[in-house]
Amino acid sequence: MSLDEQTVRRIFTGLEHGDGDAFFDHVADDVDWTVMGTHPLAGHYKSKAAFKAGTFSKLAKVLPDGAELRVTHAFVSGDVAVVELVSGATARNGMRFDNHYCWVVRFDGGTIVEVRAYLDSALVAELFRENPI
């Protein structure tokens, strides 16, 4: 599979439509995923299951409709894509969660094998401060 912007956007479509499973079908079980920052979701996750438990399951408890991630830009070079995303979510308490992300994603064929995710740490910390789990 040749990696190009259209392919990357197609893979990320599930996240845009609230279908995380469709996206995670393209993520290796042993993915190496690092969420940068100093907030409740930050960490180095060595598997898809660990990443989902450490991030998406926590977000599901405070964001009733999920993170609502939308791709704004995607840049591809070789087997690496730089994907910029925005979240337009609303928390349980009504707080707007308009976060911006940059994920540096490495693919092996059509499968995501490594991610370094950058985001607004202060906003994530505030989200969990206002919406404790």
Side-chain angles (χ1 to χ4, degrees), residues 20-44:
D21 290 340
F23 169 78
F24 282 108
D25 285 347
H26 297 278
V27 176
D29 288 339
D30 62 347
V31 68
D32 184 340
W33 199 309
T34 304
V35 179
M36 306 298 185
T38 53
H39 53 83
L41 306 178
H44 187 189

Side-chain angles (χ1 to χ4, degrees), residues 23-117:
F23 169 78
F24 282 108
D25 285 347
H26 297 278
V27 176
D29 288 339
D30 62 347
V31 68
D32 184 340
W33 199 309
T34 304
V35 179
M36 306 298 185
T38 53
H39 53 83
L41 306 178
H44 187 189
Y45 303 97
K46 295 286 198 165
S47 70
K48 177 171 33 179
F51 170 75
K52 289 170 78 173
T55 60
F56 273 60
S57 67
K58 288 180 182 177
L59 286 170
K61 294 175 182 175
V62 297
L63 300 174
D65 295 322
E68 300 182 37
L69 296 171
R70 182 176 53 83
V71 173
T72 57
H73 298 95
F75 309 94
V76 177
S77 179
D79 64 353
V80 174
V82 177
V83 183
E84 294 178 315
L85 307 108
V86 295
S87 171
T90 302
R92 283 194 314 249
N93 72 340
M95 173 189 170
R96 291 293 307 153
F97 187 67
D98 297 323
N99 210 333
H100 295 261
Y101 303 81
C102 181
W103 291 2
V104 180
V105 183
R106 187 169 60 84
F107 287 81
D108 183 359
T111 303
I112 295 169
V113 295
E114 182 181 6
V115 180
R116 289 183 317 280

